[in-house]
């Protein structure tokens, strides 16, 4: 080993760290994380829809609303579009017309960048608590609608005097479940020491990369914010050196092999070798925004056709898609210690995946321009495939394009495959298999008009311009691009 | 004169031009333009609202609609916002929920870039015809709703085989008059020769810059598209050399003096000396999008309060603001030779202006984040001042911030001041005084939260990302930044 001088015995070992609450060994972090899970005792149980407290079905519309008139509501939409095989449908949707804050505080110590992360319970989480951003605040939160405490550390995001802004971008949420919902994704840097509350700790970017190889560990909001992080402090070379580290397989244990890491690096830095110029990509996207039509009309939940309400759920007559359920939560760590709320439930897995392929030696990602009914602006840039209920879709004759590539991928083609879940404050056990597959340069694919090849460098730039949907951003974070 | 070797006797003299229909002298162009004005004979007369043909007031709503159900309609909106002094109002608005194409064909001959421009009549133009883009096509146009001819040259924009795309961006229209209207702004480059129709000619960018110093000559759509043009083919140096040309005062006769041209150049190229970083600007804008709320509800025109319908117009009870009128057009050059249509009329001038000021020697522009009810996404970047009925506003105690700077500007501070008008297909004699004023570095201004200083280079980049509203884009074109 020629790199022995700066060998890393364990990615969790970080020389020079002088922060409260850092971890030099993975076991140590995991033990602490488990202790926080136990300390955050709470129970979640599904209850009948008529047992809501502070939520009710509005008489005229049967929309599901909070007694304060704030937070979110569940209403219906009637959709017409010329995109995709289904042109018309009704569905329930979450409406929350306000911009929340997803924020992470960062600090550099001895050349290593740390992020202040939170162990946070959400009622819909599969495993109770997940690693979350420093702050997840709805406007209701920080304008004190529910009369609870102001979320911790929020002041660093609202007031610029004690922090530097590295990232401050509006990014969209799930267009299939939320109506035009966006959050403000923020990363602020501090120099001063700050006191850490019990559920908070400092983790380096490499520690977080490792945790992203565990199923359902890093929550969706954290993945969304980190995708906007200034890549390796603006120095791809630094990223590169780390990727080449002889023990970096400990960092990416899951098949992010030498060759693929080199692929990612080249795809990140070799702008001039991109198959499509940025102007070409913007033009392609502009054309599709002109082509696709999307009419979305809000309708009362009672008028949503093909959906029914039972004692315990609002669901599609076919039992496909998601359902709306009620849960009762008893918890210690939240602003209020007992509450009921609706959640969107899914009992089957989805699939979110990038197909990648070298083009003239440079790895490219196949990106879809996708219309979803709640999209803020009709079309967003999405992964090659994102679909729910994937086990059933595999078998369908009109399965989404390229789904078969994931189904038939040989083990050596699968570069990333981890289960990640949707945000547990709105979604109950909503899990997606997140995959990145690499196919041979010689594989000829027929590319429909609404797909295009991009390099990783181009995608990083487009994330900064808020072109990518949350599924694509999450997947970029998963493969370590922050 | 040391530059005599490449002196330009007249900006209209272009050595080496080998195109059909170019002009080497201004008089020659003007004579041709006048001949096209005469050839495009037509008359426009205001008629009573009950004399519409093919337009009618819908029974239930009193909305003004076309019999085909296509084109645009005039409906009402009810607005609530926390931006500005007026928090609530109703108004009529133009609704045309489709993306049109504004396109210019460009070609380089002997190193000089030419644009294919059209002499086009529009019923609302002050002076009948104006210089317009190669193509102005609504979706109704190119999907043949009105059964006329397909607009000339549109094929170069719809089909990529015979042209290269230089610009293909969605840009917004007037947020005070249109509800969420955007057009696709396109510039395509060709190498081949093409036949020119009677109303078309090739003009170089420098010829167009000169025409932009004439009142009401280059139409709004042309100004919108040209603002997106790749600046000096990506070579600021080339622009610079031209700006330094000893006879360039012939090009910018109106007070764009040596010093100000140098100011513009430095502001365009000295990125590192910008007062605010791009990240800071994006963060500022993100924060304001979070802060400002805008609720816009479409309502029937009959329910628009404080507005009334007389025999000849729909207007505010105060007679302020705009009015909706009916015109009868008899014309020879249009797809259909006789028609009636509604237009928005204004009898008083507006003002659109940039305040500029050197900061540490680099010229900066004071940009406003402005909420207008029809904005596509709540807030857009706007000129320092844009307001209608400026003569009256000057006198008001709650006049918009910085308006007094334009009122009180000394002649040597006024760097550009030309009357330009809104698009004549929707607006009748709607004129704005377009101004750029430079104040001293030592002038201290109190800057409200929704204003920020930017360099010209930063503005060019933000135009490419569709952040600027049409008034700001138009003004950038006016000072030659294309």
């Amino acid at each position: 080993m020629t790199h022995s001088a700066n060998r890393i015995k364990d990615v969790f070992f970080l020389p020079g760290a002088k922060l409260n609450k850092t971890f030099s060994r993975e076991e140590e972090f995991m033990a602490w994380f488990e202790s926080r899970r136990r300390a955050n005792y709470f129970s979640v149980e599904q209850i009948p829809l008529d047992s809501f407290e502070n939520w009710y079905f509005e008489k005229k519309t049967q929309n599901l609303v909070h007694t304060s008139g704030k937070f979110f509501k569940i209403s219906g939409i009637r959709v017409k579009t010329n995109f995709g095989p289904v042109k018309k449908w009704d569905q329930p949707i979450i409406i929350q017309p306000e911009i929340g804050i997803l924020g992470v505080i960062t600090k550099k110590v001895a050349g290593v960048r740390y992020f202040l992360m939170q162990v946070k319970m959400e009622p819909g989480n599969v495993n109770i608590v997940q690693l979350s951003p420093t702050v997840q605040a709805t406007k209701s939160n920080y304008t004190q609608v529910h009369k609870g405490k102001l979320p911790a550390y929020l002041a660093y995001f609202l007031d610029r005097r004690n922090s530097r802004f590295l990232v401050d971008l509006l990014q969209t949420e799930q267009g299939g479940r939320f109506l035009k919902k966006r959050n403000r994704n923020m990363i602020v840097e501090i120099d001063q020491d700050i006191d850490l509350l019990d559920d908070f700790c400092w983790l380096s970017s490499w520690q977080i990369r490792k945790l992203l190889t565990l199923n359902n560990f890093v929550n969706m909001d954290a993945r969304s914010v980190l995708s906007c992080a200034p890549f390796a402090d603006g120095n791809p070379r630094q990223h590169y050196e780390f990727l080449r580290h002889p023990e970096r397989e400990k960092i990416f244990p899951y098949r992010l092999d030498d060759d693929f890491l080199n692929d990612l690096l080249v795809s990140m830095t070799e702008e001039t070798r991109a198959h499509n110029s940025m102007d070409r990509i913007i033009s392609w996207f502009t054309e599709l925004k002109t082509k696709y039509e999307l009419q979305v009309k809000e309708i009362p939940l009672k008028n949503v056709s093909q959906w029914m309400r039972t004692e315990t759920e609002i669901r599609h007559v076919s039992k496909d898609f998601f359902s709306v359920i009620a849960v009762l939560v008893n918890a210690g760590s939240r602003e209020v210690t007992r509450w009921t709320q609706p959640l969107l439930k899914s009992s089957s897995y989805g699939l979110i995946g990038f197909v990648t392929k070298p083009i003239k030696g440079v790895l490219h990602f196949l990106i879809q321009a996708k219309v979803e009914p709640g999209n803020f602006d009709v079309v967003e840039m999405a992964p090659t495939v994102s679909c729910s209920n994937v086990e059933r879709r595999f078998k369908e004759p009109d399965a989404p394009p390229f789904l078969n590539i994931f189904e038939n991928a040989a083990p050596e083609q699968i570069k990333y495959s981890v289960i990640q879940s949707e945000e547990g404050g709105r979604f109950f056990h909503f899990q997606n298999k997140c995959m990145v597959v690499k196919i041979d340069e010689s594989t000829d694919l027929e590319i429909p008009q609404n797909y295009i090849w991009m390099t990783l460098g181009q995608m990083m730039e487009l994330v900064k311009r808020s072109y990518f949907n949350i599924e694509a951003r999450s997947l970029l974070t998963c493969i370590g691009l922050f």
Side-chain angles (χ1 to χ4, degrees), chain A:
Chain A
M1 289 280 182
T2 55
H3 288 77
S4 57
N6 60 350
R7 264 172 89 163
I8 294 176
K9 281 292 174 200
D10 185 306
V11 61
F12 266 81
F13 172 73
L14 289 158
K18 278 182 193 156
L19 285 166
N20 297 331
K21 208 90 77 58
T22 57
F23 302 94
S24 56
R25 297 191 53 76
E26 187 168 358
E27 295 75 12
E28 190 192 337
F29 168 76
M30 286 301 182
W32 174 79
F33 190 86
E34 279 309 310
S35 75
R36 294 325 303 162
R37 188 196 304 275
R38 283 190 304 271
N40 284 285
Y41 169 78
F42 77 109
S43 65
V44 177
E45 60 181 299
Q46 192 177 343
I47 55 174
L49 293 177
D50 63 6
S51 305
F52 273 125
E53 301 159 11
N54 294 320
W55 289 83
Y56 66 102
F57 291 97
E58 208 173 48
K59 198 158 186 185
K60 218 171 103 186
T61 60
Q62 295 299 310
N63 290 340
L64 185 50
V65 300
H66 192 258
T67 49
S68 69
K70 299 272 176 168
F71 300 107
F72 60 96
K73 70 174 176 183
I74 295 177
S75 175
I77 51 173
R78 181 153 294 165
V79 185
K80 262 196 211 177
T81 180
N82 59 356
F83 177 92
V86 183
K87 307 297 184 200
K88 265 171 140 177
W89 72 93
D90 289 358
Q91 70 167 79
I93 202 153
I94 305 171
I95 298 186
Q96 190 174 15
E98 54 166 45
I99 296 171
I101 292 177
L102 306 179
V104 172
I105 296 178
T106 180
K107 183 172 177 176
K108 253 183 149 172
V109 178
V112 176
R113 181 169 292 294
Y114 290 83
F115 297 100
L116 183 58
M117 305 300 285
Q118 182 184 180
V119 182
K120 194 170 198 294
M121 67 132 290
E122 293 287 0
N125 283 345
V126 174
N127 40 7
I128 308 172
V129 295
Q130 292 193 9
L131 195 68
S132 306
T134 317
V135 164
Q136 292 174 202
T138 61
K139 208 163 182 175
S140 307
N141 270 151
Y142 60 81
T143 54
Q144 299 288 287
V145 175
H146 63 345
K147 303 189 182 78
K149 289 178 288 183
L150 195 71
Y153 306 111
L154 187 59
Y156 291 93
F157 299 92
L158 299 181
D159 179 347
R160 290 161 187 276
R161 281 171 301 181
N162 298 313
S163 55
R164 280 187 302 282
F165 283 64
L166 301 186
V167 169
D168 189 0
L169 295 169
L170 291 185
Q171 298 282 11
T172 55
E173 297 285 302
Q174 292 83 345
R177 309 284 175 256
F178 287 99
L179 187 62
K180 299 197 174 192
K181 176 85 177 92
R182 294 187 297 184
N183 281 317
R184 193 172 170 191
N185 285 234
M186 302 176 88
I187 300 180
V188 302
E189 188 169 38
I190 59 169
D191 298 322
Q192 68 274 35
D193 288 331
I194 55 175
D195 289 334
L196 292 206
L197 296 170
D198 285 346
D199 292 326
F200 292 78
C201 72
W202 291 103
L203 290 172
S204 75
S205 49
W206 287 99
Q207 290 172 333
I208 296 170
R209 283 189 184 94
K210 178 143 194 192
L211 299 171
L212 281 161
T213 62
L214 305 177
N215 290 342
N216 296 314
F217 199 95
V218 180
N219 90 343
M220 186 59 145
D221 289 346
R223 281 174 278 137
S224 175
V225 181
L226 290 174
S227 72
C228 316
F231 161 64
D233 292 309
N235 180 6
R237 181 62 44 194
Q238 191 179 325
H239 205 90
Y240 182 59
E241 292 306 328
F242 222 111
L243 293 183
R244 283 160 54 114
H245 197 282
E247 300 207 16
R248 58 96 204 89
E249 68 273 16
K250 287 193 180 162
I251 297 159
F252 274 129
Y254 197 92
R255 286 204 190 89
L256 278 181
D257 52 63
D258 260 355
D259 286 350
F260 195 63
L261 289 172
N262 266 316
D263 280 346
L264 291 178
L265 181 77
V266 171
S267 187
M268 218 155 21
T269 51
E270 297 275 332
E271 281 169 50
T272 53
R273 292 166 65 196
H275 185 64
N276 295 297
S277 70
M278 277 296 265
D279 284 346
R280 169 83 188 90
I281 291 169
I282 299 295
S283 174
W284 163 82
F285 199 58
T286 301
E287 180 160 18
L288 294 173
K289 279 204 180 169
T290 312
K291 175 181 173 181
Y292 293 127
E293 285 161 13
L294 175 65
Q295 276 179 43
V296 177
K297 197 179 149 194
E298 197 185 328
I299 58 172
L301 194 53
K302 70 168 181 190
N303 294 345
V304 171
S305 74
Q306 303 288 313
W307 287 71
M308 55 187 289
R309 195 164 113 200
T310 70
E311 272 182 29
T312 54
E313 62 181 357
I314 300 164
R315 64 164 169 84
H316 196 260
V317 291
S318 69
K319 297 196 179 176
D320 285 338
F321 312 106
F322 59 91
S323 60
V324 180
I325 62 166
V327 293
L328 167 65
V329 186
N330 277 289
S333 72
R334 290 292 285 245
E335 297 85 348
V336 189
T337 54
R338 174 201 158 95
W339 74 92
T340 63
Q341 72 166 86
L343 287 172
L344 268 55
K345 178 179 175 180
S346 173
S347 48
S348 62
Y349 283 72
L351 175 73
I352 293 173
F354 284 134
V355 168
T356 70
K357 176 179 127 157
I359 300 178
K360 292 183 185 155
V362 177
L363 192 74
H364 280 70
F365 289 67
L366 189 56
I367 301 303
Q368 182 183 183
K370 191 173 186 189
V371 175
E372 295 193 283
N375 278 354
F376 189 81
D377 187 12
V378 185
V379 195
E380 295 187 2
M381 294 185 188
T384 320
V385 167
S386 54
C387 70
S388 54
N389 205 344
V390 68
E391 291 305 326
R392 204 202 56 192
R393 301 304 301 276
F394 272 141
K395 295 167 200 144
E396 286 176 358
D398 69 339
F402 310 113
L403 186 56
N404 63 323
I405 293 179
F406 295 91
E407 190 185 10
N408 304 324
E412 68 276 12
Q413 290 183 311
I414 299 174
K415 303 302 179 182
Y416 183 85
S417 177
V418 174
I419 309 250
Q420 301 285 6
S421 44
E422 301 291 331
E423 207 271 319
R426 299 288 175 273
F427 299 96
F428 185 79
H429 297 196
F430 235 97
Q431 296 174 78
N432 290 300
K433 196 167 184 181
C434 293
M435 293 180 77
V436 178
V437 165
K438 180 187 172 187
I439 60 174
D440 288 343
E441 176 141 18
S442 60
T443 311
D444 257 346
L445 295 181
E446 197 181 317
I447 308 292
Q449 192 198 359
N450 65 315
Y451 293 78
I452 200 167
W453 292 107
M454 291 182 199
T455 65
L456 203 44
Q458 290 174 328
M459 294 167 74
M460 301 296 293
E461 176 61 27
L462 293 167
V463 166
K464 282 204 277 179
R465 299 197 201 170
S466 303
Y467 277 92
F468 274 99
N469 74 4
I470 194 166
E471 288 84 4
R473 294 199 309 279
S474 162
L475 207 46
L476 279 172
T477 296
C478 287
I479 55 170
L481 269 298
F482 60 93

